[in-house]
Amino acid sequence: MDYKKLPLGLEDFEKLITRGYYYIDKTMFLKELIDERAEVSLFTRPRRFGKTLNMSMIRYFFEDARDRNGNSQDHSHLFEGLQIMRQGEQYREQMGQYPVISLTLKSAKQPDFEMSYQVLRAVIADEYIRHCYLCKSETMLPVEKEKYIRLMEQKGEAGEYANALQFLSKCLENYYGKKAVILIDEYDVPLENAFVRGFYGQMTDFVRSLFESALKTNSSLEFAVMTGCLRISRESIFTGMNNLAIFSILSSRFSSYFGFTGEEVQRLCEDYGMPQKYGLMKEWYNGYVFGGANVYNPWSVLSFLYELRGNINSFPSAYWANTSSNSIVRKMIDMADENTKQEIESLIAGKTLQKPVHEDAAYHEVYESMEHLWSFLFFTGYLRKAGEYMDGSGKLFLELAIPNKEVGLIFRRKILEWFEEKAGAKDRTRLFQAFIQGNAAVLEEEIGDMLLETISFYDAYESFYHGFLAGIFSGMKGYTVKSNREGGRGRSDLFVAPVTRRKAAFVVEFKIAGRIRDMEAKAQEALRQIREQNYAAELESDGFETVHKYGIAFVGKDCHVEWEA
């Protein structure tokens, strides 16, 4: 069977439709946008949930498009057979009616302000080039043409670029006799990047001027649509903008137009001849709640489907981890106190947390307060809403959970990565000396201290402790760590072997006890297993004459160590 191509990473609506890619019809978004008709609409959604493709769709629907010579371009064929065309003449008559300014700010993620500003200036200039037919029009005065050309050639002053969208919309209104639609995609990328990189004040000043002139004091504006990950209002980006309607993932309106619904994913699986994979899709990539809609991560669904088409037995993976910045998870763990660590462990164990919601936090607040950080994790897709309630003062609280297996895997990976880095930076001299000398009491103390600093996975104790032990013994100068090697009649947990055969090698076996009082018995059991299964055989056959044995028992973040020569 000849299946349509999957639109993996495709963000241009025209290319998607004309080149025969599979399209999940989201054009009812246009109907709701027309019905709502706010002057400025801001949609906040996590990364890779279809924001840019929807913005492209909006442009092709509303734009009275022209080529560089000013010749009209009809895009109505792109919507043939789609849902919006069946909604009545009052919607169809909106097609191709407005000049449109369309920008995406996602490329402004640069190392310093000058580079970011240059990129933003180039993005604006490209939109001027797209509308260069204006320069040939008699509607533009000579002084306006001179300014237009300066901006188009990236030779304008900083103040001119701060006012560039308002000026372009004015030129378009004079040409068309109609006010302009302004689309700004990923509006918050320059701000987040600037905060992380240390030039937040400069970027905020420029973006505020750009937005205020285009969206607040612009008489040539018909309506505007913006997208981003976060609502940012307390940086004064949107000061005094009473015409701004914000639709976050808590909003009931527009809830199913970013991401895939369960019905859409089920139909997708059926259309590609693999309905039996729907359960895996649901387990790994469902779980988001936008307004009242249950939503799947579209990037991950399409990525997994792409892999399945090559090999029907492919395993799911955390595709979103490769496209989304996960630095926020690392920041959370760096900031975590003992209470927060327990909360993270609880989340990974499948439990929920109750936290207040902060929709409009400033970036410095996000990174300085765990309370704001939980909200940031929610709005950027790392956590989902499992419930909500309002306290006596009218403050909204959310019951938060990890959405699905994919995000759970991201949490696990980042936590282990963080721990390995932190363990590598910690002075482990006393631990190594105790290990080599067979000092079980000191080794127990050192391991216990390191356990207190990390985060354990309640539902994966075996793998957690195995990685934990392998991590803390790595870095011993002159020693190598081998994990789960065959030895004797079974498999030991760890071998720690010196480079020279003149020194003693070590076999490490661990057990998990149910109670503190059982730890000593479990550690002795681990030693007995090393002896009975002859785990030392491989090391002895490799030329090590002395092999020492460690049995270690764990209960949560407590441990007991037994040593045997």
Side-chain angles (χ1 to χ4, degrees), residues 226-272:
M226 306 174 70
T227 69
C229 280
L230 289 177
R231 167 184 172 176
I232 306 170
S233 61
R234 292 167 68 178
E235 286 91 348
S236 300
I237 296 300
F238 303 124
T239 301
M241 279 185 59
N242 298 321
N243 59 346
L244 178 65
I246 300 173
F247 304 98
S248 74
I249 61 177
L250 290 174
S251 304
S252 57
R253 287 169 291 182
F254 301 96
S255 58
S256 62
Y257 300 126
F258 298 88
F260 296 159
T261 66
E263 293 79 8
E264 289 167 343
V265 174
Q266 194 165 15
R267 185 167 63 250
L268 185 63
C269 291
E270 290 170 355
D271 288 347
Y272 282 88

Side-chain angles (χ1 to χ4, degrees), residues 338 341 345 418-432 442-456 464-465 467-474 554 556-559:
E338 288 304 315
K341 288 175 184 176
E345 291 172 345
W418 164 83
F419 174 70
E420 288 170 2
E421 289 179 14
K422 192 164 186 177
K426 182 180 173 67
D427 183 359
R428 288 172 286 172
T429 303
R430 187 167 182 257
L431 184 150
F432 293 158
V442 173
L443 182 61
E444 182 178 303
E445 179 186 338
E446 289 292 308
I447 292 176
D449 287 345
M450 296 192 76
L451 275 170
L452 290 174
E453 293 183 2
T454 190
I455 296 169
S456 58
F464 166 75
Y465 288 120
F468 172 81
L469 288 173
I472 64 173
F473 292 129
S474 63
F554 294 99
K557 294 190 176 182
D558 290 290
C559 72

Side-chain angles (χ1 to χ4, degrees), residues 57-197:
M57 176 184 70
I58 293 170
R59 176 169 80 85
Y60 281 109
F61 183 82
F62 286 106
E63 187 170 33
D64 181 358
R66 308 295 170 95
D67 64 17
R68 292 186 178 183
N69 294 317
N71 300 314
S72 293
Q73 296 177 310
D74 183 10
H75 291 140
S76 60
H77 64 284
L78 300 177
F79 296 89
E80 291 177 3
L82 298 179
Q83 294 180 50
I84 187 62
M85 302 301 283
R86 300 190 290 272
Q87 303 310 308
E89 183 61 27
Q90 70 269 35
Y91 300 103
R92 293 193 296 272
E93 68 184 9
Q94 295 288 312
M95 294 183 66
Q97 292 301 304
Y98 303 97
V100 174
I101 299 169
S102 179
L103 304 176
T104 179
L105 307 188
K106 65 176 64 177
S107 58
K109 189 178 284 188
Q110 302 298 327
D112 55 49
F113 175 75
E114 185 57 35
M115 288 186 67
S116 295
Y117 173 69
Q118 287 177 6
V119 167
L120 291 174
R121 191 173 62 188
V123 168
I124 293 169
D126 284 345
E127 195 64 5
Y128 271 67
I129 291 170
R130 196 170 75 86
H131 294 289
C132 64
Y133 55 86
L134 294 173
C135 291
K136 302 175 183 178
S137 169
E138 297 301 320
T139 62
M140 191 179 289
L141 298 173
V143 66
E144 291 175 323
K145 286 185 180 181
E146 291 176 8
K147 180 177 179 179
Y148 193 102
I149 292 170
R150 281 200 307 275
L151 292 167
M152 185 169 62
E153 294 179 346
Q154 301 185 50
K155 296 178 180 178
E157 299 294 329
E160 290 180 312
Y161 281 103
N163 191 49
L165 300 186
Q166 183 188 48
F167 177 65
L168 180 55
S169 59
K170 175 186 173 184
C171 295
L172 288 167
E173 183 184 19
N174 291 338
Y175 181 88
Y176 283 89
K178 293 181 179 180
K179 298 183 187 298
V181 172
I182 297 179
L183 308 177
I184 302 176
D185 187 36
E186 303 284 12
Y187 88 98
D188 55 338
V189 167
L191 301 169
E192 180 184 5
N193 175 69
F195 178 80
V196 173
R197 299 281 191 171

Side-chain angles (χ1 to χ4, degrees), residues 360-377:
D360 58 351
Y363 276 109
H364 69 85
E365 292 175 318
V366 168
Y367 287 98
E368 291 175 2
S369 162
M370 275 305 306
E371 189 171 291
H372 286 92
L373 200 53
W374 287 116
S375 290
F376 189 47
L377 287 166

Side-chain angles (χ1 to χ4, degrees), residues 370-413:
M370 275 305 306
E371 189 171 291
H372 286 92
L373 200 53
W374 287 116
S375 290
F376 189 47
L377 287 166
F378 168 66
F379 286 109
T380 52
Y382 289 97
L383 297 172
R384 70 174 175 89
K385 181 181 73 174
E388 60 184 324
Y389 69 95
M390 198 165 286
D391 69 5
S393 66
K395 191 173 186 179
L396 179 63
F397 281 73
L398 293 183
E399 193 174 344
L400 300 174
I402 291 177
N404 50 42
K405 280 195 171 183
E406 176 180 42
V407 181
L409 187 58
I410 293 171
F411 267 83
R412 291 169 187 268
R413 284 177 176 173

